[in-house]
Amino acid sequence: MTALPAADSPAGIPADVLAGSAQTHTVFNQVPDLAHYNLFETDATLRTALDRVGGGWHAETLSTFGARLGQPDVQAWAADANRLTPELHTHSRTGERIDQIAFHPAWHELLTLLRSQQLQSLPFAQPRAGAWAARTAGYFLQSQIESGSLCPTTMTFASIPVLRKEPALFRDLEPRLYAAGHDARDLPWREKTAILIGMGMTEKQGGSDVRANTTVAMPVRGEGRGAEYALTGHKWFFSAPMCDAHLVVARMGAADGPLSCFFVPRFRDDGSKNPILIQRLKDKLGNRSNASSEVEFRGATGILIGEEGRGIPTIIEMATSTRLDCVIGSAGLLRAGLVQALHHARHRMAFGRLLADQPLMRNVLADLALESEAATLLMMALANAFEQADDDPLAAAWKRVVTPAAKFWICKRALEATGEAMEVWGGNGYVEEGPMARLYREAPVNSIWEGSGNIMCLDVLRALQRNPEDGARILQDLARLANGHAAVRAELASLQAMLREPAEHLEASGRRFAQGLVLTAQAALMLAHGDPESAEQFVASRLGRQHGRVFGTLDADSGTLLRIANRAWPA
């Protein structure tokens, strides 16, 4: 007996045929998410550098932290915090001005993770040899997972040396700044167990030119350091407005008065809200999990920090630390992009072979690996310099001169490298469901924040002008590290010749000098501390042929390229 077609089948097509046609293909050759891996244990360059500069005592903690960061739930927090962005609530239901910011719970989970590692205070809370390197390594690991939560962490960290100079205030701040926990409650800072500190410098008319600021501070009570003032004015980039207090630059007494620095809490000591009115949140390209804002001060209470009229030097002290964090954060983006590219290439087939087995792709991956390794070595060398700077003139020279040069170069390389890593993924990297689009959007902020490229290069030259002996110290140290390598020796001679040029010509060549200084420093560090094969490839590509702006142009055989990539992240 012949079965009749189902009554609702179009054109009389049997139901079993229709059911089968619903499946047109099977899913294969798609790359699984990178998860369940240890960010610390898989990074030989980081582990070796940590030991070398005295931070090995922190390795076990970093290993536990690295394993936690590689778990899917932490990666989901990062995605959620950037997709479900902060919301500003200026008023309560009944009309009171509250200026509160609501965050997705994932944001608070990320901050809890950061605080558990004391990344906002480690060298100050645990002052021992290698503490700067230990904190740098932890910050580097978290930056590979999520960047927005690093902003208030960095500012809090940078505020500590400034605030420690105010003993009366710091006695109450210290336990809350050093706390290994996160307190999300919107309360006066004295009622909290842990606090965050932000910064307020930039105004509409000034940008990087803080001397153009017009916010005015009028005296209210007391004189000198610790006196109370009322601030009136605005800030164009106020990061991050949910912090418990901010260090703010304002003019003393009049629009043309001297610039000073003030501690401005969200709440006054009587528990009332300090009149810091959030006008709006910035709709940013990246760093979307973190709130940045425009604010007005309408007689906001501020406490004078430091000496009157010394606001710029006070803020510069903070900026030096935040610039180091820009270097670390961008080095973290380089590492994250490299690892994602390697993971993808080792799983994705094209034209009958894994991408990782194809010669040109191997060249790209190896080149990205060299860039990441050199950035990591420089990052750790700078961390060590920050720790030693008070007692060692060479370390102080590295801190003053190489930090802005590294911020200039490594932050720019992160822009290019994250784009290249996205290209390894192809179209899959361009969609928001994966991590590559967020990595790429994050990359520009470190180049812009705390001084864009030209500012950094000019700061390099100013540092050398103020301390002419610094240049000689650094170049001699690089020569020592390179152990007479011909290419490094030639680059050092070129840098020395540039320093003898007229000031105006040298300023016009500031980017070329800063780039040359960083590449020479990275080459010397690779020769001194890296794998010899990788070091020679770095020197040949970056110095010997003045490496251009395209990854994948190494002169090396396939075996060398494979070894470089495998050393970066074991297959």
Side-chain angles (χ1 to χ4, degrees):
M1 181 176 180
T2 303
L4 296 175
D8 59 350
S9 299
I13 300 174
D16 57 342
V17 174
L18 276 177
S21 69
Q23 181 173 330
T24 61
H25 67 285
T26 57
V27 176
F28 67 101
N29 197 30
Q30 284 285 346
V31 177
D33 290 337
L34 174 59
H36 302 291
Y37 73 108
N38 190 315
L39 280 70
F40 179 71
E41 295 296 340
T42 54
D43 192 338
T45 298
L46 180 65
R47 288 187 287 107
T48 303
L50 182 73
D51 279 337
R52 186 173 59 253
V53 297
W57 53 268
H58 202 54
E60 186 176 343
T61 298
L62 288 168
S63 180
T64 302
F65 186 45
R68 184 72 188 100
L69 290 171
Q71 295 304 305
D73 61 330
V74 177
Q75 296 169 352
W77 293 342
D80 288 345
N82 282 273
R83 182 173 53 87
L84 302 165
T85 54
E87 295 181 355
L88 171 63
H89 299 282
T90 57
H91 292 79
S92 70
R93 179 186 65 81
T94 53
E96 293 90 353
R97 185 88 195 204
I98 56 174
D99 293 282
Q100 291 181 348
I101 300 171
F103 290 86
H104 188 273
W107 167 261
H108 296 297
E109 296 284 5
L110 291 166
L111 282 177
T112 298
L113 198 57
L114 280 161
R115 294 291 294 236
S116 74
Q117 303 297 304
Q118 286 190 306
L119 297 183
Q120 85 292 349
S121 66
L122 183 63
F124 309 112
Q126 301 184 46
R128 57 181 293 187
W132 276 84
R135 187 261 177 183
T136 294
Y139 190 102
F140 174 72
L141 295 177
Q142 176 106 4
S143 68
Q144 296 173 46
I145 300 300
E146 207 283 318
S147 294
S149 53
L150 300 174
C151 177
T153 304
T154 285
M155 293 187 295
T156 302
F157 180 72
S159 75
I160 291 174
V162 173
L163 292 169
R164 286 204 301 185
K165 295 176 182 178
E166 311 298 327
L169 177 62
F170 193 72
R171 275 194 297 272
D172 290 336
L173 290 171
E174 181 177 9
R176 297 166 175 84
L177 290 171
Y178 291 0
H182 170 56
D183 188 340
R185 296 175 298 167
D186 191 30
L187 296 172
W189 67 268
R190 295 181 190 277
E191 298 178 24
K192 297 183 65 172
T193 58
I195 61 172
L196 294 168
I197 306 294
M199 297 167 65
M201 293 179 287
T202 306
E203 296 186 3
K204 293 183 179 72
Q205 71 282 353
S208 296
D209 184 5
V210 178
R211 288 178 174 83
N213 282 11
T214 61
T215 296
V216 173
M218 300 299 293
V220 174
R221 187 179 299 109
E223 293 182 356
R225 300 172 81 141
E228 181 181 329
Y229 285 76
L231 277 65
T232 301
H234 80 282
K235 296 297 171 183
W236 186 234
F237 276 93
F238 196 66
S239 295
M242 69 288 181
C243 288
D244 299 284
H246 289 76
L247 294 185
V248 174
V249 173
R251 294 193 174 275
M252 301 284 287
D256 59 353
L259 288 164
S260 297
C261 184
F262 298 86
F263 176 84
V264 182
R266 275 181 48 76
F267 292 87
R268 289 173 165 152
D269 283 344
D270 64 5
S272 64
K273 184 187 174 299
N274 210 3
I276 307 163
L277 278 56
I278 302 176
Q279 303 303 302
R280 60 174 174 170
L281 299 185
K282 298 289 192 180
D283 187 7
K284 298 172 294 184
L285 168 68
N287 212 248
R288 298 183 68 84
S289 66
N290 176 50
S292 301
S293 66
E294 300 166 27
V295 301
E296 287 186 359
F297 304 125
R298 297 188 182 177
T301 297
I303 305 300
L304 179 63
I305 299 293
E307 299 176 19
E308 293 185 19
R310 298 286 293 169
I312 297 298
T314 301
I315 288 297
I316 286 174
E317 183 177 354
M318 289 186 67
T320 302
S321 290
T322 57
R323 288 170 179 179
L324 174 62
D325 279 7
C326 288
V327 173
I328 304 168
S330 289
L333 293 176
L334 282 167
R335 175 69 183 175
L338 165 67
V339 169
Q340 290 287 352
L342 285 167
H343 174 74
H344 185 88
R346 289 169 180 169
H347 287 81
R348 181 76 167 179
M349 298 283 294
F351 309 109
R353 284 189 295 175
L354 287 171
L355 290 174
D357 292 337
Q358 302 190 26
L360 188 53
M361 181 59 78
R362 277 189 180 175
N363 202 319
V364 171
L365 295 172
D367 212 351
L368 288 169
L370 293 179
E371 194 72 33
S372 176
E373 181 177 358
T376 302
L377 290 176
L378 182 56
M379 166 193 88
M380 294 300 280
L382 284 173
N384 190 50
F386 270 67
E387 180 164 290
Q388 306 295 331
D390 290 341
D391 304 312
D392 180 357
L394 175 60
W398 271 74
K399 179 180 177 180
R400 284 189 291 259
V401 178
V402 182
T403 301
K407 180 185 179 304
F408 164 71
W409 182 248
I410 292 177
C411 294
K412 289 198 178 299
R413 293 302 280 168
L415 272 163
E416 297 162 38
T418 51
E420 194 71 63
M422 180 189 291
E423 193 171 322
V424 172
W425 277 50
N428 289 334
Y430 198 67
V431 298
E432 294 288 351
E433 290 173 303
M436 305 310 289
R438 178 157 50 86
L439 277 182
Y440 186 67
R441 287 198 311 272
E442 289 292 354
V445 69
N446 286 328
S447 274
I448 296 169
W449 189 39
E450 295 301 349
S452 53
N454 283 357
I455 298 294
M456 292 301 98
C457 295
L458 292 173
D459 278 359
V460 170
L461 300 181
R462 290 190 193 103
L464 290 169
Q465 289 164 0
R466 284 192 297 267
N467 301 279
E469 66 279 4
D470 280 358
R473 286 193 178 105
I474 292 167
L475 298 184
Q476 288 169 9
D477 190 42
L478 297 183
R480 176 190 63 83
L481 288 167
N483 196 27
H485 194 287
V488 175
R489 200 165 58 239
E491 190 64 25
L492 289 172
S494 175
L495 292 170
Q496 288 171 331
M498 291 182 72
L499 288 175
R500 292 191 292 268
E501 293 176 355
E504 185 175 343
H505 189 220
L506 180 57
E507 180 176 331
S509 303
R511 286 187 172 222
R512 186 156 58 89
F513 181 85
Q515 173 182 318
L517 178 62
V518 174
L519 287 175
T520 306
Q522 288 181 317
L525 290 166
M526 290 283 283
L527 289 165
H529 306 305
D531 178 86
E533 186 175 52
S534 296
E536 287 298 336
Q537 284 297 317
F538 185 89
V539 172
S541 56
R542 272 63 172 178
L543 299 185
R545 292 190 294 107
Q546 285 298 307
H547 184 70
R549 304 186 73 88
V550 177
F551 289 98
T553 59
L554 301 177
D555 291 331
D557 60 77
S558 186
T560 298
L561 299 173
L562 179 61
R563 287 191 295 274
I564 291 172
N566 285 343
R567 278 193 293 269
W569 200 61

